[in-house]
């Protein structure tokens, strides 16, 4: 694992697997605007392993825009999870829906794993897991080539609140790579901190 400290925006730090490529968004238009929208959605950082399709992504957007998109009044204190006023399960669902909306051409159905959202108010974090069932056109061919007849991606996520901004790290791998890369991805999520 390698320590990564965001030198561009000085916004976050985390540990990533040494073999992962790293891409930090920095060009105008690539970075999200004040509403959390950009050419790449709200994504400000990506790291991954092309061979296994394992990916780590960091998104940043205002809490107000998340709530406004969901039709939820956002007049309270948006600097704490308690101030947002919705439970862990509902907040995890909203984060998943926002992410799915940005990836609208996806051939996967992604759901929050029941019982996984855990709100740690003292740390200012929400942790949860996602499961994506990916459409496979020829399961028999996949079975022959990869030894599996379905593609399932498991993603660990952590949301951190800072000054009314939501930072979310997603780290996911296909089910067949969870044994080899799952622990490193969970370490990346666990190590993620927002600076400043």
């Amino acid at each position: 694992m390698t320590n990564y400290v965001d030198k561009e925006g000085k916004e976050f730090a985390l540990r990533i697997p040494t073999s992962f490529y790293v891409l930090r968004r920095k060009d105008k238009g690539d970075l999200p605007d004040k509403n959390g929208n950009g050419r790449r959605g709200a994504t400000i950082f990506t790291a991954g392993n092309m061979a296994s399709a394992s990916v780590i992504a960091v998104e940043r957007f205002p809490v107000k825009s998340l709530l406004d998109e969901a039709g939820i009044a956002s007049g309270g204190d948006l600097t704490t999870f308690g101030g947002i006023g919705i439970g862990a399960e509902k907040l995890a669902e909203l984060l998943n829906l926002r992410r799915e909306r940005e990836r609208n051409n996806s051939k996967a159905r992604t759901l929050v794993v029941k019982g996984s959202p855990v709100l740690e108010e003292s740390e200012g974090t929400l942790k949860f897991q996602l499961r994506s069932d990916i459409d496979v056109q020829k399961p028999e061919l996949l079975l022959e080539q990869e030894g599996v007849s379905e593609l399932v991606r498991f993603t660990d996520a952590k949301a951190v609140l800072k000054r009314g901004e939501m930072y979310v790290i997603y780290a996911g791998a296909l089910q067949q790579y969870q044994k080899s890369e799952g622990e490193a991805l969970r370490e990346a999520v666990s190590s993620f901190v927002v600076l400043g």
Side-chain angles (χ1 to χ4, degrees):
M1 299 290 284
T2 301
N3 290 325
Y4 177 87
V5 178
D6 175 34
K7 291 179 178 56
E8 293 298 327
K10 298 176 178 43
E11 295 185 72
F12 61 90
L14 71 152
R15 294 181 50 76
I16 58 173
T18 309
S19 62
F20 277 30
Y21 74 89
V22 172
L23 175 63
R24 173 57 161 105
R25 309 267 183 230
K26 56 187 173 190
D27 295 334
K28 186 174 169 77
D30 278 348
L31 289 172
D33 62 16
K34 63 183 173 106
N35 296 316
N37 300 311
R39 279 194 297 257
R40 311 281 189 248
T43 304
I44 59 173
F45 171 86
T46 308
N49 178 334
M50 297 297 281
S52 64
S54 298
V55 177
I56 298 170
V58 175
E59 296 182 357
R60 179 195 71 218
F61 49 86
V63 175
K64 182 177 180 355
S65 72
L66 174 71
L67 298 176
D68 289 349
E69 289 168 4
I72 297 172
S74 58
D77 173 19
L78 302 180
T79 61
T80 66
F81 285 106
I84 294 172
I86 58 177
E89 293 277 345
K90 178 68 174 174
L91 188 53
E93 290 289 342
L94 290 178
L95 291 169
N96 181 44
L97 288 172
R98 184 181 209 288
R99 188 166 191 240
E100 287 300 294
R101 201 169 28 253
E102 285 186 356
R103 300 178 343 175
N104 61 5
N105 62 352
S106 176
K107 299 261 189 231
R109 295 170 309 284
T110 303
L111 299 172
V112 175
V113 174
K114 293 270 187 239
S116 72
V118 175
L119 184 60
E120 297 175 356
E121 186 71 49
S122 63
E123 295 179 24
T125 63
L126 168 68
K127 297 177 183 172
F128 58 99
Q129 293 179 314
L130 302 172
R131 176 191 166 113
S132 302
D133 294 307
I134 302 167
D135 290 335
V136 175
Q137 297 298 317
K138 297 182 178 179
E140 65 283 348
L141 184 60
L142 183 64
L143 183 60
E144 182 182 312
Q145 293 177 342
E146 299 288 327
V148 295
S149 60
E150 64 179 358
L151 290 178
V152 178
R153 173 180 290 279
F154 288 99
T155 302
D156 287 277
K158 178 166 81 170
V160 179
L161 277 176
K162 199 69 148 193
R163 298 175 300 277
E165 295 281 317
M166 181 81 70
Y167 290 81
V168 188
I169 180 171
Y170 296 97
L174 293 172
Q175 185 172 15
Q176 60 265 39
Y177 294 105
Q178 284 292 325
K179 189 176 267 187
S180 62
E181 294 185 355
E183 191 58 41
L185 293 172
R186 285 185 286 283
E187 183 179 338
V189 170
S190 178
S191 71
F192 178 73
V193 293
V194 177
L195 305 174

